[in-house]
Amino acid sequence: SSSSSSSSSSAWGSGPGPCGSFLNHSELHSRRARLRQLLVPGSVVLVPAAPLMLVPGTRIPLPYRQEATFFYLTGVYDQGCHEAVCALELNATGEKLTYR
């Protein structure tokens, strides 16, 4: 990734492929840092991606729509990541937020 310059679309990355983020890393880091401020030390947050949905009574897939909180924290919209889970863990001292 190249460094981003100031522009109206600076939060958006290039969309690097399956399960890749469409937002730049600094924007996503900022979002997770805001969540960190709300957590109690030792907390774990699990946010699942949206599942694939089918038209009822058929095998016809509905258009994919990512779960909003998952997208907000990861920037990932790809339906190929429908089984993914965003895991955030704030250590016991509250000093480090681990994102997986």
Side-chain angles (χ1 to χ4, degrees), residues 59-76:
R59 291 188 188 182
I60 301 169
L62 290 169
Y64 188 72
R65 183 171 186 269
Q66 186 56 274
E67 197 282 324
T69 304
F70 183 88
F71 179 71
Y72 182 81
L73 293 172
T74 67
V76 174

Side-chain angles (χ1 to χ4, degrees), residues 3 5 11-12 25 28 35-36 43 49-50 53 56 76 90 92 98 100:
S3 62
S5 61
W12 294 94
H25 293 289
L28 294 169
L35 173 62
R36 175 186 176 185
S43 296
M53 303 294 286
V76 174
L90 186 60
T98 303
R100 298 172 223 196

Side-chain angles (χ1 to χ4, degrees), residues 2-100:
S2 63
S3 62
S4 62
S5 61
S6 292
S7 71
S8 61
S9 63
S10 63
W12 294 94
S14 61
C19 295
S21 174
F22 284 93
L23 297 174
N24 73 34
H25 293 289
S26 64
E27 175 66 21
L28 294 169
H29 178 76
S30 174
R31 290 175 178 189
R32 292 188 291 262
R34 287 193 298 273
L35 173 62
R36 175 186 176 185
Q37 295 171 354
L38 303 173
L39 299 177
V40 175
S43 296
V44 175
V45 177
L46 300 174
V47 182
L52 295 177
M53 303 294 286
L54 302 176
V55 173
T58 74
R59 291 188 188 182
I60 301 169
L62 290 169
Y64 188 72
R65 183 171 186 269
Q66 186 56 274
E67 197 282 324
T69 304
F70 183 88
F71 179 71
Y72 182 81
L73 293 172
T74 67
V76 174
Y77 198 87
D78 191 328
Q79 73 180 10
C81 300
H82 66 275
E83 295 179 347
V85 174
C86 170
L88 299 134
E89 180 179 1
L90 186 60
N91 69 357
T93 62
E95 297 172 1
K96 182 179 179 187
L97 182 68
T98 303
Y99 164 71
R100 298 172 223 196

